[in-house]
Coordinates of all heavy atoms in Angstrom, one line a residue:
M1 N -0.2 11.8 -2.7 CA -0.8 10.7 -2.1 C 0.1 9.5 -1.8 O 0.1 8.9 -0.7 CB -2.0 10.2 -2.9 CG -2.7 9.1 -2.2 SD -4.1 8.4 -3.1 CE -4.6 7.2 -2.1
M2 N 1.0 9.2 -2.7 CA 1.9 8.1 -2.5 C 2.9 8.4 -1.4 O 3.3 7.5 -0.6 CB 2.6 7.7 -3.8 CG 1.7 7.0 -4.8 SD 2.5 6.6 -6.4 CE 2.1 8.0 -7.4
D4 N 2.2 10.4 1.1 CA 1.4 10.3 2.4 C 1.3 8.8 2.8 O 1.4 8.5 3.9 CB 0.0 10.9 2.2 CG 0.0 12.4 2.1 OD1 1.0 13.0 2.5 OD2 -1.0 12.9 1.7
W5 N 1.1 7.9 1.8 CA 0.9 6.5 2.1 C 2.2 5.9 2.7 O 2.1 5.3 3.8 CB 0.7 5.7 0.8 CG 0.4 4.3 1.0 CD1 1.4 3.3 1.1 CD2 -0.8 3.6 1.3 NE1 0.8 2.1 1.4 CE2 -0.6 2.3 1.5 CE3 -2.1 4.1 1.4 CZ2 -1.6 1.4 1.8 CZ3 -3.1 3.2 1.7 CH2 -2.8 1.9 1.9
R6 N 3.4 6.3 2.2 CA 4.6 5.8 2.7 C 4.9 6.3 4.1 O 5.3 5.6 5.0 CB 5.8 6.1 1.8 CG 5.8 5.2 0.6 CD 7.0 5.3 -0.3 NE 7.4 6.7 -0.6 CZ 6.8 7.4 -1.6 NH1 5.9 6.9 -2.3 NH2 7.2 8.7 -1.8
L8 N 2.6 7.5 6.4 CA 1.6 7.0 7.3 C 1.9 5.5 7.6 O 1.7 5.1 8.8 CB 0.2 7.1 6.7 CG -0.4 8.5 6.6 CD1 -1.6 8.5 5.7 CD2 -0.6 9.1 8.0
D15 N -5.5 4.6 10.8 CA -6.6 5.5 10.5 C -6.3 6.4 9.3 O -7.1 6.6 8.4 CB -7.0 6.4 11.7 CG -7.7 5.5 12.7 OD1 -8.2 4.5 12.4 OD2 -7.6 6.0 13.9
G16 N -5.0 6.9 9.3 CA -4.6 7.8 8.1 C -4.6 7.0 6.8 O -5.1 7.5 5.8
L17 N -4.1 5.8 6.9 CA -4.1 4.9 5.7 C -5.5 4.6 5.2 O -5.8 4.7 4.0 CB -3.4 3.6 5.9 CG -1.8 3.7 6.1 CD1 -1.3 2.4 6.6 CD2 -1.2 4.2 4.8
L18 N -6.4 4.3 6.1 CA -7.8 4.0 5.7 C -8.5 5.2 5.1 O -9.3 5.0 4.2 CB -8.6 3.5 6.9 CG -8.1 2.1 7.5 CD1 -8.9 1.8 8.8 CD2 -8.2 1.0 6.5
S19 N -8.1 6.4 5.5 CA -8.7 7.6 4.9 C -8.2 7.8 3.4 O -8.8 8.6 2.7 CB -8.3 8.8 5.7 OG -7.0 9.2 5.4
L20 N -7.2 7.0 3.0 CA -6.7 7.1 1.6 C -7.3 6.1 0.7 O -7.0 6.0 -0.5 CB -5.2 7.0 1.6 CG -4.4 8.1 2.3 CD1 -2.9 7.8 2.2 CD2 -4.7 9.5 1.8
L21 N -8.2 5.2 1.3 CA -8.8 4.1 0.5 C -10.3 4.3 0.2 O -11.0 4.8 1.0 CB -8.7 2.8 1.4 CG -7.3 2.4 1.8 CD1 -7.4 1.1 2.7 CD2 -6.4 2.1 0.6
S22 N -10.7 3.9 -1.0 CA -12.1 3.9 -1.3 C -12.7 2.8 -0.4 O -12.1 1.9 0.0 CB -12.3 3.6 -2.8 OG -11.9 2.3 -3.1
V25 N -12.2 -0.7 -2.0 CA -10.8 -1.0 -2.4 C -10.6 -2.5 -2.5 O -11.1 -3.2 -1.6 CB -9.8 -0.3 -1.5 CG1 -9.8 -0.8 -0.1 CG2 -8.4 -0.3 -2.1
K37 N -10.9 -3.7 2.3 CA -10.5 -2.7 3.2 C -10.4 -3.2 4.6 O -9.4 -2.9 5.3 CB -11.5 -1.5 3.1 CG -11.0 -0.3 3.9 CD -12.0 0.9 3.6 CE -11.5 2.2 4.2 NZ -12.4 3.3 3.8
Y98 N -6.4 4.8 -8.9 CA -7.0 5.7 -8.0 C -8.3 6.3 -8.6 O -8.4 6.4 -9.9 CB -6.0 6.9 -7.8 CG -4.7 6.5 -7.2 CD1 -3.7 6.1 -8.1 CD2 -4.5 6.3 -5.9 CE1 -2.4 5.7 -7.6 CE2 -3.3 5.9 -5.4 CZ -2.2 5.6 -6.2 OH -1.1 5.2 -5.7
K105 N -11.0 14.4 -3.5 CA -9.8 13.7 -3.0 C -9.5 12.4 -3.8 O -10.5 11.7 -4.1 CB -10.1 13.4 -1.5 CG -8.9 12.7 -0.8 CD -9.3 12.4 0.6 CE -8.2 11.7 1.3 NZ -8.5 11.4 2.7
W106 N -8.3 12.2 -4.1 CA -7.9 10.9 -4.7 C -7.8 9.8 -3.7 O -7.3 10.0 -2.6 CB -6.6 11.1 -5.4 CG -6.6 11.9 -6.7 CD1 -6.3 13.2 -6.8 CD2 -7.1 11.5 -7.9 NE1 -6.5 13.6 -8.1 CE2 -7.0 12.6 -8.8 CE3 -7.7 10.3 -8.4 CZ2 -7.4 12.5 -10.2 CZ3 -8.1 10.2 -9.8 CH2 -7.9 11.3 -10.6
L107 N -8.4 8.7 -4.1 CA -8.5 7.5 -3.2 C -7.9 6.3 -3.9 O -8.2 6.1 -5.1 CB -9.9 7.2 -2.7 CG -10.6 8.3 -1.9 CD1 -12.0 8.0 -1.7 CD2 -9.8 8.6 -0.6
L108 N -7.2 5.4 -3.2 CA -6.8 4.2 -3.8 C -8.0 3.2 -4.0 O -8.7 3.0 -3.0 CB -5.7 3.5 -2.9 CG -5.1 2.2 -3.4 CD1 -4.4 2.4 -4.8 CD2 -4.2 1.6 -2.4
A109 N -8.2 2.8 -5.2 CA -9.4 1.9 -5.5 C -9.0 0.5 -5.7 O -9.7 -0.5 -5.3 CB -10.2 2.5 -6.7

Side-chain angles (χ1 to χ4, degrees):
M1 180 183 178
M2 289 181 266
D4 288 343
W5 184 272
R6 288 189 309 279
L8 293 166
D15 290 335
L17 290 171
L18 294 175
S19 76
L20 300 177
L21 303 177
S22 67
V25 67
K37 190 172 188 175
Y98 303 91
K105 181 179 177 180
W106 286 101
L107 299 172
L108 181 62

